[in-house]
Structure formats: C-alpha cells, structure tokens
Amino acid sequence: MDLLSRKATCNSHGQDSSYFLGWEEYEKNPHDVVKNPHGIIQMGLAENQLCFDLLESWLIQNPDAASFKRDGQSVFRELALFQDYHGLSSFKKALADFMSENRQTRVSFDSNNLVLTAGATSANETLMFCLANPGDAFLLPTPYYPGFDRDLKWRTGVEIVPIQCTSSNGFHITKLALEEAYEQAKKLNLNVKGVLITNPSNPLGTTTTQTELNILFEFISKNKNIHLVSDEIYSGTAFSSSEFISVMEILKTNQLENTDVFKRVHIVYSLSKDLGLPGFRVGAIYSNDKDVISAATKMSSFGLVSSQTQYLLSSLLSDKKFTKNYLRENQRRLKNRQRMLVTGLEAIGIGCLKSNAGLFCWVDMRHLLSSKTFEAEMDLWKKIVYEVKLNISPGSSCHCEEPGWFRVCFANMSEETLKLALKRLKKFVDNGTLSRSCQVGESQSLKSSRKKTTTTVSNWVFRLSFHDRDAEER
Amino acid sequence: MKQLSTKVTSNAHGQDSSYFLGWEEYEKNPYDEIKNPNGIIQMGLAENQLCFDLIETWLAKNPDAAGLKKDGQSIFKELALFQDYHGLPEFKKALAEFMEEIRENRVTFDPRKIVLAAGSTSANETLMFCLAEPGDAFLLPTPYYPGFDRDLKWRTGAEIVPIHCSSSNGFQITESALQQAYQQAQKLDLNVKGILVTNPSNPLGTMLTRRELNLLVDFITSKNIHLISDEIYSGTVFGFEQFVSVMDVLKEKKLEDSEVSKRVHVVYSLSKDLGLPGFRVGAIYSNDEMVVSAATKMSSFGLVSSQTQYLLSALLSDKKFTGTYLNENKKRLKIRQRQLVSGLEAAGVTCLKSNAGLFCWVDMRHLLDTNTFEAELELWKKIVYEVKLNISPGSSCHCTEPGWFRVCFANMSEETLDLAMKRLKEYVESTDSNRLISKSSHERIKSLRKRTVSNWVFRVSWTDRVPDER
C-alpha cells in the first residue's frame, strides 16, 4: 500500500517546470546593487514594487491601523477572536468599493457576494472545487500563468484544456480557437465546466478586448452549463482605466442580470498585484450565485485572511483619498516603467506584444532562436539566465504554442536595475553571441505570418511589426 | 449536467449539524451584560479569552512588532513581498521553540520540519490530502471535534471510521475498540491510512495516557499506517500531570529515527493556547521529508499572512514572555475550570475529570427523559432556548452515549460563568420536581449513580477510569 497519497508523490504540483527552476537559479546568485552586482537579475517575478512609498506614508499617518487600535482604543481582543468566515464586513465593503473604483465605478460590487480567501491562489482553487468535479475541464487561453497548473488541477482533479492563441492576431481569443478547445475536450471525454481567463492577461500584459468578451459571452450563453471565471487580479495595473473592461461590465451593459448567464460569471481578485502585497494573502471570489457564495464561504475556512491583515487593509482601503491617488499614481508609474522596458528592448532590436497593463511585457525573441523549436527556446533561456544573468520566463512554461516568447517583468526592481538589465542584454546581443538568426532557414520563417525585415549579419536591429494585432475596438 | 460540483450540492460540509445550529441561535440572541442580560450565553465556543491582558501588555511594550518595524526601521516592504511558502524562518524557529517549551523541553522540534498553514483547519485538511486518497479512511476516537467531519472529509474525499470510546472507562481508547474500528473499516471496504487523535482531547478535556499513546504507536507500527496527533490544546494543560506528547512516547521507545517516526505527524495552532484564532496560524510537523515537501507546496493555498508571522515571531521569541504566559495561562484555566466544575456540582451535575482544554465534558444523562439521542436533543433545545446557554450536545461530537455535553469555560468573564451556573441550577431545581413525578424507576437504573428522591446531589464515580501511568 502506498504510504502517501498520489497528490503528495506525483508531479502535478507543476513545480519542476522551468518557471520555478529559473527562480532557483536566481536564489543561488541573486543580484544586489551593492553585495552582488554581477548576480542574476530577477525579471521572472510579477511583483509591483513601484508604490510602496505611498503605502508607507499612509501607514505613518495612520498608525492605529497596524497597531490594533480604532480611534485610539484597542481592538486587539476583537480581532484576535475574529475568525468568522464571512470576513470583516468593513473590510469586504472597502474591498468591494475598491474593486468598483478600479473599474471607474462603471459597475458596483455587493460585499455580500464577496468571499475572502488567502490570496488568489486559494480563490482559484476554491472556485474549482465549487464549480467542477474531478475529471471535469476548464478551458484556458494560452499562454497562461504557470501556477494555474497547480492551482486549478492539483488537489481538485480538474483538467485544463488550452484555447490556443497565436501571435498571428496578437494572441487574441478567437471563436474558432474556443470551439476547437471545446471539441478537443469532448474528444478527451472531458466534461467542460467553464472557461477561465485572466484579464488583464498574465503573461501577455494586455486587457481582454470587447470582441473577445463578446465571443466568450456568446459561448456561455449558448452552452448553458458553462461558467466564466475572470481572474481580474491585474485590474489595477491597466495603464488606462478606460481600456480595462471587466466581465461585470458586460453583464451590466448587455443587461444580463435576469438571465441564467448572470450566475455563471465569477470574478477572482487579490491585492497582491495592484497593491503589491502578496505576503498579506488577500484574495477574493465574487459571484452572483448564492450557492457558490455559500459553499465558497465555508471552504474559505481552509484559507481565511488573518484578521490582523483584514483590519489594516480595511482602514487603508476605506481611505478614499488614498485609494484614488494610489490607483492613479500606480497606473502612471507602471506605464512609465513599461515604456522604459519597451524602448530599451527596441534599442536592442527586440519587440514585444503591444501591452496596456500588467507588470511585465510579452517579449518576442523568436528571431534569436537557433531553430523554431522549444528546445531552442530552452537553450536561449538558459543562456539568458546563466550568461546574460537575467531570470525571465520562457513562453513554454506558460504553455505558449509558439517558441521564442518570453515574459519579462519590469515592476519588481529599481529603474537603475532595469537599465542594467537592458545594458547586459544589449551587450549580449551586440556581441553576436545570439547570432543565430543567420541560421534560421527560409522554411521556418515562412511559418510566421509576420513580415520580417531583412537582417544584416553584423547589425542586429530588428523591427517587428506591431500591427499584427487586429484593429480593436477600444 | 449539474452546474455546480457535488461538493457544493451535498451536505458533506457538515454544517447542518446541531453544533452549528446552536451558534445560529446564539447569534440571534447573544448575551450581553448590559445590552442583553437575558440573552443566550455562549458556552459552545472553545476560545481562550483568559490571557489577553498579557499579550496586550507585551504589544504595548513592543510596538515595533505590530508596527511592521525592526529596531525602529520599517520592514513593511520586505514583509509585503514575503510570500515564500517555507515561511518566515524567525517565526518557524520561535514556533518550534514554543512547542518545545510547552513540552518542557523534553523533546525537540526542528523548524525545517514545520509547515505553516492558515490555522489547524488548513493543516488537518492538507495532511489528509498528503496521506490519503479519496475513499481512504482515518480512524478517530469518539467523541471528536465536529469540525473534523468537514476538515478531514469534505474536499479530500477521505472517510472517518470511529473508534468507539465510552464512559465505562472515562472514554479512553482501548485496544479492542481500536481493533473493532479497523475491522469495521475493512468491512466497509475502506483502506485505513491512519489514526487521528486530539491530545489533549476535544471535547473531553483530558490528556491521552501513556498507555493509550503506546497502544497507538504499537498499532500503527503493526498496521503500517499513520498517526496524526492534533496537539492544538497542548498549552492548555493545567493539571498536576505533565502533558505527554506522542513525540515523548517516540523518544521513550527510542523510535525517533525509526521508520515509524516518519508516520507520526503533529498538528499545532496558536488559536487555543494563545487565544488567537483570528490570526490563522497553524502548523504541521512531520519527520517525513516527502510529507513536509508536499505539504509545503500545498500550503500555498493557505499561507499565514507575513504581517502576522512577523508579529508572532517577535512575541514567541521573547522567552520571558512565553515562560510567564504559559504559567499564567495554566493557572487561570485551572481556576476557571474549577469554577465551572463546582458550579455544575451545585446544580447536581458532574463532569468527566479533566486536566486540560477550554471546556468540560459534562454528564447530563440523569436529566434525559430517555437514554436516547432524541432525548439528548430535547434536553439540548431546552438548555439553549429556556436556560439560554449554548452548549454542545455529545451527538454532534459523535459520542455513542446520549447525555454528554461539552461546556466551555474560558470564553467568558467570571461573572458570566456564575450567571450561567445560576441559570442552570435554577433550571435543574425547577425541572426536578416535574421529573420526579414522570420518570420511571427502570430508567434510573441505567445510571450507575445513587439518587435520593428529595435531594438531587449526584456524585459520579470518577474511578471508572482505568488508573494511568502518568
């Protein structure tokens, strides 16, 4: 008899993937401006470190929030004992308002429909437990966050079937790709329980377009038992609020409140990206289905948010002056920082998918591959980690079906470090060490539908067309 | 096709049990000394509210800990970003040492074998995911904490098979009960993966004896199964006897580096000893590297807030504080338990003799109309609605004998406890006269105690329990 469960002994936690291996390399030799200037620069971690100063000044001005006081009176006992899985109502209310603010109050959120969880990791898993049985499947557009393989599948027994998206149209979800994924699931004898998207997308850094949302809603309207989960964890990182369209808005605009679709659309949120607080473990599920709310609430027992943290953040988020300024400043800084990365990469002849959100860019290094294969992508990645000393995430770890794309984070380091990273990459490219494009055969280049500019052997300036993406309604 | 999962639509979360319904009644009409003096007194919540003053004093003297500072410097950013599922090393070290202190440093805990979880609720579920497949079973001695039905079974698909314990020997685990449970599991075609005990016991308030622990270790050795010891109440031991952990027994039997030791796991939490259930701090301790490794990854689904890890690492690293706290906690719990026991005695009600926990296991069998669970529920409803005390009926804890109730004593003030005892006494005295007329003598024989007709003083023999080696 096996002593441990299969879950404990198998690999479906997904942590042997390169996504995590890159982290390990970084841990062994981490860059530090003073102590280890030649170490590996971490560009594989989607953290938002740009606005801590705003949070810290707020904390200084509002010392009660962290010290268990309300109006100078201690609320320590109250908080120490508070383990109600309905959550601190002042916190849920503040969070609901914050989510609404993130959407420029175009929609409002009822705090009674919110379930708090220990991070979006817990929220996503809990939603799977609520919506799917072992062996059921969820469709996910590729490329997607590598952690989903663990979060959605590991302990739940749920399967992921990819909706293949390609660079031919800027990785947008198409009706065809969606239907193909659905058919594929049927072929594999899997019961499709829903579609899960991340909007704005990780790793693409783009907001889901109106067209894509229409396709998704049409799909779930047609298929009455399919749910739509929208992980909107990056909603506050959209550089311009008007460009981010939440699924909640679609429900409102299309007047779906009294239809059955209304109860099949769920949102996941977290403060880990927008506020840069992954350590505090604050996530949430938002649903219009009372049964889902009820079950998810009970399940949240397995990952409640510390009352100490709920209290601190309820104070923070209740301060509307703070939140308004924060959201605006956060967007501004992220936009500038992204610009820095994009122009820096352009100068090296490297293009990215045009993005308008997120803490990273989806970088096109296909021209640097020795062959149009994932093996070549791995080789390139290893060079970048070990020789250029940048930890970036290879597209294969995100289940991208085209080799050569990498996710590169920009918000988890100082400006100087980002400049250094770009400098290192430029040097590497200029030295021609990545001079493999000469070997790229004509037949391989035909596979890409993009127009390629001619290259000179000595000068690696590539200008990739950004106009591949379909003109969008934004 | 069903829209939601079977986990959602079934009742396996166990929350329709009376355990939770009593809470609901309380919520509708909660006692408050000033605002609602006739409301229901909550005696169904195993919280430790006796030592908050000690923690609050410490917080006032050490403002950096809550203020996210170290030596006056802000470490907010560091903590905000810290989501490593290996946990804050300072915190795990302090926690390991605290666990050692509770066991009077007789055993050591290696911080690297600790996996943090969001409360022991999360720890227990995670251990099930690591040790059992859906359909596998764990044996649990009854009565047990009602929450286990949800925590161990709901999302994991694991089964619980009870090890029946009875008042005939003070609810101790016997070899025969253990064998019977194992065989019952086999009859049900269930693969037994292990045994889970709570030590000190909830709801009994008693510690497992050395004899029981040895029995358990021998049993898991012969059957090649796991033993989980939920020691969440280890710091609430207030009797003269010292707390014997399963880790003590492994050491005494010289099994620390043996293969068996890898199948013994301890669950801990700060919710009961420190009275901090809101902070969600739990832990798994295991000698099996693979369990530690898998549980660590699974802890992603329920990490402890870094803000809280930092605060508590500062608190628990202060050995002066922890030493004082553990002593004072014991003292106060002991006094409060005494108060409950004597209050009950004055109402002619006795309890299982206990030396730990935040509750007593109270014998109200003599107040039942019949020796049935229906009668127990009737009595419980009376106590909730008429006496206005929310206590937990034994059936919600899967007790095989009707008439036992868990009554908490550490979650209210002395005055409130006095009031509760007063109400109970009044109720018992008023129903006595009614009862004398209606109860027939053959039912009374079911109780071992002697009764006088006019005076309801019951003295339950405490020597029912087998003498222990302690």
Side-chain angles (χ1 to χ4, degrees):
Chain A
M1 178 180 73
D2 293 321
L3 267 181
L4 303 184
S5 69
R6 282 188 287 273
K7 286 176 182 66
T9 51
C10 74
N11 265 351
S12 56
H13 49 71
Q15 278 184 217
D16 296 331
S17 89
S18 52
Y19 182 72
F20 297 102
L21 293 172
W23 286 33
E24 283 174 24
E25 271 321 297
Y26 164 79
E27 292 292 325
K28 291 183 206 164
N29 182 22
H31 170 264
D32 181 280
V33 155
V34 175
K35 298 181 229 169
N36 190 19
H38 300 295
I40 298 176
I41 296 175
Q42 176 63 282
M43 303 188 89
L45 206 40
E47 283 174 348
N48 181 357
Q49 295 194 24
L50 303 191
C51 291
F52 280 131
D53 57 317
L54 300 179
L55 291 165
E56 299 207 62
S57 355
W58 187 91
L59 283 173
I60 292 171
Q61 284 160 28
N62 300 270
D64 274 9
S67 358
F68 302 106
K69 291 202 186 81
R70 185 187 290 141
D71 305 322
Q73 297 302 314
S74 172
V75 288
F76 173 74
R77 288 182 196 216
E78 210 177 282
L79 292 173
L81 293 171
F82 186 83
Q83 55 172 331
D84 183 352
Y85 56 27
H86 293 102
L88 207 61
S89 56
S90 55
F91 178 48
K92 291 216 302 194
K93 178 146 195 325
L95 185 61
D97 287 345
F98 186 66
M99 287 169 73
S100 175
E101 235 183 302
N102 237 342
R103 293 155 183 74
Q104 290 185 321
T105 64
R106 293 187 298 265
V107 284
S108 65
F109 291 88
D110 180 352
S111 61
N112 291 316
N113 291 347
L114 261 181
V115 179
L116 298 175
T117 60
T121 299
S122 178
N124 279 314
E125 191 198 41
T126 295
L127 256 187
M128 286 302 111
F129 273 125
C130 289
L131 304 179
N133 289 316
D136 287 342
F138 258 75
L139 311 180
L140 265 66
T142 62
Y144 62 75
Y145 164 56
F148 280 149
D149 289 322
R150 172 196 65 191
D151 301 352
L152 308 181
K153 296 173 26 168
W154 190 18
R155 307 191 308 178
T156 62
V158 170
E159 296 294 339
I160 294 176
V161 175
I163 302 165
Q164 306 287 11
C165 300
T166 71
S167 62
S168 63
N169 71 340
F171 296 93
H172 284 185
I173 300 166
T174 63
K175 188 167 176 189
L176 180 62
L178 186 48
E179 281 165 3
E180 272 176 13
Y182 186 71
E183 290 308 311
Q184 175 63 8
K186 288 221 289 221
K187 264 199 215 121
L188 295 169
N189 236 318
L190 299 168
N191 208 11
V192 177
K193 290 313 288 282
V195 179
L196 188 146
I197 61 170
T198 307
N199 174 26
S201 162
N202 174 14
L204 302 177
T206 53
T207 52
T208 309
T209 63
Q210 180 72 57
T211 309
E212 290 172 290
L213 289 165
N214 289 341
I215 290 170
L216 291 164
F217 272 81
E218 204 189 294
F219 184 74
I220 66 169
S221 295
K222 210 176 70 182
N223 296 289
K224 301 271 176 219
N225 288 305
I226 292 185
H227 297 266
L228 176 61
V229 176
S230 182
D231 185 344
E232 301 189 351
I233 194 179
Y234 290 98
S235 45
T237 69
F239 307 152
S240 154
S241 303
S242 55
E243 294 184 14
F244 166 60
I245 309 170
S246 166
V247 291
M248 283 296 141
E249 290 176 61
I250 304 290
L251 286 174
K252 187 173 175 183
T253 327
N254 294 4
Q255 292 176 324
L256 296 171
E257 286 101 331
N258 292 318
T259 68
D260 64 282
V261 162
F262 192 61
K263 299 210 300 182
R264 290 187 278 115
V265 176
H266 321 276
I267 284 184
V268 165
Y269 187 54
S270 161
L271 299 179
S272 301
K273 309 296 179 183
D274 294 348
L275 285 189
L277 307 173
F280 288 5
R281 313 315 303 147
V282 181
I285 293 168
Y286 187 89
S287 177
N288 294 308
D289 184 326
K290 292 270 173 279
D291 291 332
V292 171
I293 292 295
S294 172
T297 299
K298 295 179 176 73
M299 285 190 189
S300 70
S301 302
F302 301 108
L304 295 174
V305 180
S306 168
S307 58
Q308 178 192 16
T309 301
Q310 290 192 54
Y311 181 65
L312 170 63
L313 297 175
S314 83
S315 284
L316 182 81
L317 297 184
S318 298
D319 184 342
K320 302 303 181 198
K321 193 156 165 259
F322 169 81
T323 55
K324 188 166 174 199
N325 182 51
Y326 182 94
L327 286 171
R328 193 186 46 219
E329 192 55 23
N330 187 43
Q331 286 175 327
R332 195 184 67 81
R333 296 183 189 184
L334 285 171
K335 185 172 185 173
N336 286 346
R337 190 57 75 83
Q338 182 252 28
R339 211 57 323 265
M340 217 177 122
L341 174 63
V342 171
T343 40
L345 288 171
E346 267 175 15
I348 310 171
I350 296 175
C352 326
L353 184 67
K354 186 170 179 195
S355 68
N356 58 358
L359 309 174
F360 32 74
C361 283
W362 188 236
V363 180
D364 189 351
M365 296 201 193
R366 288 177 292 175
H367 59 295
L368 300 174
L369 296 181
S370 58
S371 60
K372 200 172 178 192
T373 60
F374 287 110
E375 288 74 27
E377 180 184 280
M378 265 300 108
D379 283 341
L380 176 57
W381 176 69
K382 282 180 192 158
K383 276 207 160 60
I384 295 175
V385 172
Y386 295 109
E387 296 176 32
V388 192
K389 303 247 185 65
L390 305 177
N391 181 36
I392 62 179
S393 311
S396 50
S397 69
C398 304
H399 300 276
C400 185
E401 59 154 31
E402 299 173 25
W405 292 86
F406 290 80
R407 188 191 79 168
V408 180
C409 300
F410 55 72
N412 64 311
M413 67 197 73
S414 67
E415 266 190 41
E416 292 68 33
T417 305
L418 181 53
K419 284 189 184 135
L420 172 62
L422 289 166
K423 200 163 135 220
R424 285 184 186 176
L425 189 58
K426 184 172 197 300
K427 188 168 167 195
F428 197 66
V429 168
D430 287 349
N431 283 348
T433 321
L434 295 173
S435 59
R436 289 201 176 83
S437 72
C438 321
Q439 296 161 23
V440 173
E442 273 297 312
S443 59
Q444 284 169 353
S445 62
L446 282 172
K447 285 198 178 136
S448 161
S449 58
R450 282 176 300 105
K451 293 193 210 87
K452 265 199 218 155
T453 53
T454 51
T455 60
T456 64
V457 170
S458 54
N459 190 354
W460 285 91
V461 178
F462 295 92
R463 195 157 279 296
L464 299 169
S465 168
F466 290 140
H467 304 299
D468 290 338
R469 298 187 76 182
D470 293 341
E472 300 145 7
E473 300 158 313
R474 278 204 179 158
Chain B
M1 182 177 72
K2 295 204 190 81
Q3 272 207 10
L4 304 181
S5 70
T6 49
K7 286 176 180 62
V8 169
T9 52
S10 74
N11 259 353
H13 51 69
Q15 276 186 220
D16 295 332
S17 90
S18 52
Y19 183 73
F20 297 101
L21 293 172
W23 285 33
E24 284 175 23
E25 271 321 297
Y26 164 77
E27 293 290 326
K28 291 183 207 163
N29 181 20
Y31 168 81
D32 181 280
E33 210 183 337
I34 297 159
K35 298 182 231 166
N36 190 17
N38 295 319
I40 298 177
I41 296 174
Q42 176 64 281
M43 305 189 88
L45 207 40
E47 284 175 347
N48 181 357
Q49 296 194 25
L50 304 190
C51 291
F52 281 135
D53 57 316
L54 301 179
I55 300 179
E56 286 184 289
T57 307
W58 186 92
L59 284 173
K61 290 201 193 123
N62 300 271
D64 273 9
L68 305 163
K69 296 198 183 87
K70 189 184 275 168
D71 306 319
Q73 296 302 315
S74 170
I75 52 164
F76 170 74
K77 186 172 157 175
E78 210 179 278
L79 291 175
L81 292 171
F82 186 83
Q83 57 171 329
D84 183 353
Y85 56 27
H86 293 105
L88 208 61
E90 314 89 274
F91 178 48
K92 294 216 299 193
K93 182 171 180 297
L95 186 62
E97 287 165 0
F98 188 61
M99 290 169 74
E100 287 172 357
E101 219 182 321
I102 287 173
R103 293 156 186 73
E104 288 154 352
N105 295 309
R106 293 184 307 269
V107 288
T108 55
F109 288 92
D110 180 350
R112 291 166 305 180
K113 295 180 179 174
I114 292 180
V115 180
L116 298 175
S120 64
T121 299
S122 176
N124 280 314
E125 192 199 40
T126 293
L127 258 185
M128 284 298 117
F129 274 123
C130 288
L131 305 180
E133 302 296 345
D136 286 345
F138 260 74
L139 311 180
L140 265 66
T142 64
Y144 63 77
Y145 165 55
F148 279 149
D149 289 321
R150 174 196 63 191
D151 300 352
L152 307 182
K153 298 175 17 170
W154 191 19
R155 306 189 310 178
T156 63
E159 294 292 341
I160 293 176
V161 174
I163 302 165
H164 294 298
C165 301
S166 75
S167 62
S168 63
N169 72 340
F171 296 93
Q172 288 188 45
I173 301 168
T174 63
E175 178 153 15
S176 111
L178 199 41
Q179 296 283 7
Q180 267 175 23
Y182 190 82
Q183 278 153 29
Q184 174 62 8
Q186 297 193 313
K187 261 196 218 128
L188 296 170
D189 230 6
L190 298 168
N191 203 15
V192 177
K193 288 313 283 286
I195 301 172
L196 187 147
V197 298
T198 307
N199 179 27
S201 163
N202 174 13
L204 301 178
T206 54
M207 302 189 291
L208 285 181
T209 60
R210 243 189 200 82
R211 186 188 56 79
E212 288 168 287
L213 288 165
N214 277 313
L215 171 64
L216 290 165
V217 172
D218 290 341
F219 192 80
I220 65 160
T221 305
S222 75
K223 303 286 187 207
N224 198 30
I225 58 178
H226 297 271
L227 175 61
I228 299 174
S229 183
D230 185 342
E231 300 188 352
I232 193 180
Y233 290 98
S234 46
T236 68
V237 173
F238 50 77
F240 287 120
E241 308 87 347
Q242 67 184 196
F243 168 60
V244 181
S245 163
V246 69
M247 290 294 160
D248 282 295
V249 168
L250 283 179
K251 188 172 179 183
E252 284 159 17
K253 286 164 93 87
K254 295 197 171 37
L255 292 172
E256 284 132 311
D257 298 314
S258 70
E259 192 266 325
V260 140
S261 74
K262 285 180 160 189
R263 288 186 274 110
V264 175
H265 321 277
V266 172
V267 166
Y268 187 53
S269 160
L270 298 179
S271 301
K272 309 296 177 183
D273 295 347
L274 285 188
L276 307 173
F279 288 5
R280 313 316 301 146
V281 181
I284 295 168
Y285 187 87
S286 177
N287 291 308
D288 185 325
E289 268 170 27
M290 256 179 124
V291 171
V292 172
S293 171
T296 299
K297 294 179 177 74
M298 285 191 188
S299 70
S300 302
F301 300 109
L303 294 175
V304 180
S305 169
S306 57
Q307 178 192 14
T308 301
Q309 288 191 54
Y310 179 65
L311 170 64
L312 297 176
S313 81
L315 183 77
L316 297 184
S317 299
D318 184 342
K319 303 306 180 195
K320 193 152 167 267
F321 168 80
T322 56
T324 310
Y325 182 93
L326 288 171
N327 269 333
E328 197 53 30
N329 190 39
K330 275 186 199 209
K331 270 199 207 130
R332 298 182 188 183
L333 285 171
K334 183 173 189 166
I335 293 170
R336 193 56 74 82
Q337 184 250 26
R338 244 326 55 231
Q339 189 189 345
L340 173 64
V341 171
S342 4
L344 289 169
E345 271 178 18
V349 177
T350 57
C351 336
L352 185 67
K353 187 172 178 193
S354 68
N355 45 18
L358 307 173
F359 33 73
C360 284
W361 188 236
V362 179
D363 187 352
M364 296 200 192
R365 290 177 292 175
H366 62 293
L367 298 175
L368 296 181
D369 284 338
T370 54
N371 191 20
T372 62
F373 287 110
E374 288 73 27
E376 178 183 281
L377 228 47
E378 285 307 311
L379 176 58
W380 175 68
K381 282 180 193 159
K382 283 202 168 64
I383 295 177
V384 172
Y385 295 109
E386 295 176 29
V387 191
K388 306 249 186 65
L389 306 177
N390 180 36
I391 63 180
S392 311
S395 50
S396 68
C397 304
H398 301 276
C399 186
T400 51
E401 299 173 28
W404 293 87
F405 291 80
R406 188 191 79 167
V407 180
C408 299
F409 56 74
N411 64 309
M412 68 196 73
S413 69
E414 268 187 49
E415 294 72 28
T416 306
L417 184 53
D418 266 341
L419 173 61
M421 293 299 95
K422 201 164 136 238
R423 286 185 187 176
L424 185 63
K425 186 168 191 286
E426 276 168 22
Y427 170 75
V428 169
E429 282 167 358
S430 74
T431 54
D432 272 358
S433 29
N434 296 339
R435 192 174 291 284
L436 281 172
I437 298 162
S438 60
K439 199 160 183 179
S440 66
S441 56
H442 82 266
E443 280 169 5
R444 288 188 215 164
I445 290 165
K446 286 198 177 136
S447 161
L448 293 170
R449 291 168 282 101
K450 291 199 207 82
R451 270 188 240 157
T452 64
V453 169
S454 53
N455 189 352
W456 286 89
V457 176
F458 297 94
R459 197 157 277 297
V460 177
S461 169
W462 285 327
T463 53
D464 287 341
R465 298 189 74 185
V466 170
D468 326 307
E469 298 157 313
R470 280 190 180 171

